Amino acid sequence: MDTRLLNDTIRDIHAQIELDDCLNTSMEKVTDLLGVERGSLMLLDKENQELSIRVARGLSEEVVKNAKTRVGEGVSGWVVKNKEPLLIKDIGKDKRFSKRGGKYHNDSLLSVPLMARNEVFGVINVNNKSTREVFKKKDLEALNEIAPHISNVIDKAMKYDEAKRLSQMKLDFVSTISHELRSPLTSVKEAINLLLDKTAGNVNPDQEKFLNISKNNVDRVLHLINELLDISKLEAGRVDMKRDLQDICGVVRQVFETLKIDAGRKNIKLNLRMPDAKLNMWFDADQITRVLVNLVGNAVKFTQDNGMINIMLEDLGKFVQFSVIDNGSGIAGEDLGKVFDKFYTVVKRKQSGVKGTGLGLPIAKEIVELHKGRIWVDSQPGRGARFSFTLPKDIRTG
């Protein structure tokens, strides 16, 4: 077997990600490499202990659709049960199997198991060499060398496929629940606003107080629902990033000016350091604004009155780095690895009385990673926290 051709075949198989692409490419490359006219790749249904053809070459649609093989039965079933490859020069002389019908040059065939974690999940079968020769040991050796690569790629693709399916199911569930909850909550909020506006008559001070508490809690639940939906979409890759070439300094300055008002209410000194000139790069302005607002907003929330926050934007060549540094209470070491986990709230920040959904930082992390960037935090208790993230200037090649 030509080593270069074999290596090219393995390389092409490893280039696939989607399951259907993996199966089709594997079948095509194997049949071309071995010079055969017919081949099939069968996958195992563990629950039914049955093999079915997922992709084939040289077989009729009817055969592909209807062919089923029980584990332990026939050539493919034997290979699955015994976890061993088969080279059969003449199936008519092999008492383990019945002779096949169909248009074959001869009764020679190869069947090799596909395995992951020492478990068989499928087989590759080939027959009908275009030269009309029987299969030889070198053919089996070539297929045995390729099979682990095919197994590895298909196993990864099946996991990827399953992850996508579960992600879509989760998104559908969250979307449905969000809709079912948002509609009645919006109605409750409108009713509370009518009462607060005194459209239905006067309310006394105590009633107004409790109505405002109710309104704030409804707003908080609505905010949580929206963030749940947002992070589900981000995790499922269902958010369309509108990346344009634009000045990142202008976006940072806008966030700075907006949150300077909130910082001023607590007498917090908010400082900004970034390049004087424009810094054009590819990014989604709305999404990166959301990340910055979250990081700076958190710093304002959790920094004591008369504290200080520094916002920094640095040009690192192919990347830019953002940092938000506060001199607040800081984060304990056991919390540092969990701050980007969904619904996780740092203990000291819980005790501060500031309420959050526990989704702001996970959403920020998803957005940064969708921009091919990285986000992290450095902190020590009593010495403040520094949240940083980097972004490639050109996401198309970053």
Side-chain angles (χ1 to χ4, degrees):
M1 183 63 64
D2 187 326
T3 303
R4 182 177 177 182
L5 183 59
L6 185 63
N7 290 335
D8 288 346
T9 298
I10 292 170
R11 182 201 62 210
D12 292 342
I13 290 169
H14 276 287
Q16 307 308 314
I17 297 174
E18 298 284 349
L19 181 57
D20 286 343
D21 293 337
C22 290
L23 296 170
N24 284 306
T25 299
S26 297
M27 190 76 266
E28 178 187 349
K29 295 299 177 181
V30 164
T31 51
D32 286 349
L33 180 70
L34 296 176
V36 297
E37 297 173 356
R38 293 190 178 189
S40 63
L41 194 157
M42 307 181 80
L43 294 183
L44 175 65
D45 181 338
K46 289 185 178 180
E47 185 176 344
N48 295 323
Q49 287 293 286
E50 191 175 66
L51 287 155
S52 59
I53 298 175
R54 281 297 302 268
V55 63
R57 199 175 199 186
L59 299 179
S60 68
E61 288 185 17
E62 185 179 357
V63 170
V64 172
K65 182 179 179 181
N66 298 318
K68 305 288 181 185
T69 303
R70 298 285 300 172
V71 172
E73 298 178 358
V75 173
S76 299
W78 187 97
V79 168
V80 172
K81 182 179 179 180
N82 293 277
K83 299 182 179 180
E84 294 179 15
L86 274 179
L87 187 166
I88 299 177
K89 293 189 176 180
D90 188 345
I91 197 170
K93 295 179 180 179
D94 194 321
K95 295 180 179 179
R96 295 171 297 179
F97 311 110
S98 59
K99 186 173 172 63
R100 306 163 300 164
K103 298 177 181 179
Y104 297 96
H105 300 327
N106 53 51
D107 289 320
S108 180
L109 60 90
L110 291 178
S111 185
V112 173
L114 298 173
M115 302 178 67
R117 295 169 295 281
N118 203 36
E119 291 292 326
V120 180
F121 66 83
V123 294
I124 295 180
N125 305 304
V126 293
N127 44 53
N128 260 28
K129 291 196 76 169
S130 56
T131 60
R132 298 181 178 254
E133 297 175 297
V134 298
F135 287 103
K136 298 176 183 177
K137 185 179 177 181
K138 66 178 182 179
D139 298 311
L140 180 61
E141 289 173 347
L143 190 52
N144 271 333
E145 186 165 349
I146 298 169
H149 296 279
I150 293 174
S151 298
N152 180 260
V153 171
I154 292 177
D155 182 50
K156 288 181 180 178
M158 288 194 292
K159 289 178 180 176
Y160 176 70
D161 205 49
E162 179 65 8
K164 283 204 308 181
R165 186 184 70 82
L166 291 175
S167 182
Q168 186 58 50
M169 284 178 60
K170 183 175 74 172
L171 178 57
D172 292 342
F173 173 76
V174 172
S175 298
T176 300
I177 295 299
S178 297
H179 176 74
E180 293 298 322
L181 291 174
R182 194 163 14 191
S183 295
L185 283 170
T186 301
S187 298
V188 170
K189 182 178 177 180
E190 290 175 355
I192 292 172
N193 284 333
L194 287 173
L195 292 172
L196 286 171
D197 290 342
K198 301 178 182 178
T199 303
N202 291 329
V203 294
N204 62 46
D206 284 341
Q207 291 171 330
E208 187 171 357
K209 173 186 172 183
F210 290 122
L211 285 170
N212 277 311
I213 291 172
S214 299
K215 180 177 180 292
N216 290 337
N217 281 318
V218 169
D219 286 339
R220 185 165 177 268
V221 174
L222 285 170
H223 180 63
L224 174 59
I225 290 169
N226 289 334
E227 293 213 321
L228 272 171
L229 188 57
D230 286 346
I231 197 164
S232 296
K233 287 180 178 178
L234 285 164
E235 289 177 339
R238 295 287 298 275
V239 174
D240 183 22
M241 291 288 170
K242 298 169 184 169
R243 304 176 182 97
D244 298 309
L245 183 62
Q246 51 199 311
D247 177 28
I248 189 65
C249 294
V251 171
V252 175
R253 188 176 294 105
Q254 189 174 34
V255 171
F256 171 77
E257 294 296 338
T258 300
L259 291 177
K260 189 162 67 171
I261 299 171
D262 292 337
R265 294 192 184 102
K266 297 176 68 176
N267 291 319
I268 294 172
K269 188 175 182 182
L270 197 62
N271 302 312
L272 174 63
R273 191 175 81 193
M274 64 180 182
D276 294 329
K278 285 186 177 182
L279 187 54
N280 289 325
M281 55 182 282
W282 291 87
F283 67 102
D284 184 317
D286 290 338
Q287 297 293 350
I288 296 303
T289 294
R290 185 173 187 178
V291 175
L292 290 167
V293 167
N294 179 271
L295 297 183
V296 179
N298 279 350
V300 171
K301 285 179 189 175
F302 299 112
T303 298
Q304 296 86 348
D305 290 3
N306 302 308
M308 182 170 68
I309 298 169
N310 293 317
I311 304 170
M312 298 172 58
L313 169 61
E314 301 172 87
D315 185 351
L316 302 180
K318 290 185 177 181
F319 294 84
V320 294
Q321 179 170 312
F322 304 82
S323 297
V324 179
I325 309 159
D326 66 60
N327 64 350
S329 57
I331 302 170
E334 62 267 23
D335 290 319
L336 282 176
K338 303 174 184 176
V339 294
F340 296 105
D341 293 350
K342 293 192 288 288
F343 303 112
Y344 188 81
T345 306
V346 176
V347 173
K348 283 192 174 181
R349 295 192 169 190
K350 281 183 184 176
Q351 296 170 348
S352 71
V354 179
K355 294 181 179 179
T357 62
L359 289 173
L361 288 175
I363 287 173
K365 182 174 183 287
E366 289 289 337
I367 292 171
V368 168
E369 290 180 350
L370 283 171
H371 279 77
K372 300 184 182 179
R374 185 173 73 90
I375 188 168
W376 69 96
V377 59
D378 297 300
S379 182
Q380 292 181 11
R383 301 187 65 178
R386 177 183 183 129
F387 282 85
S388 304
F389 68 96
T390 57
L391 297 178
K393 287 183 183 176
D394 192 345
I395 196 170
R396 300 169 301 172
T397 57

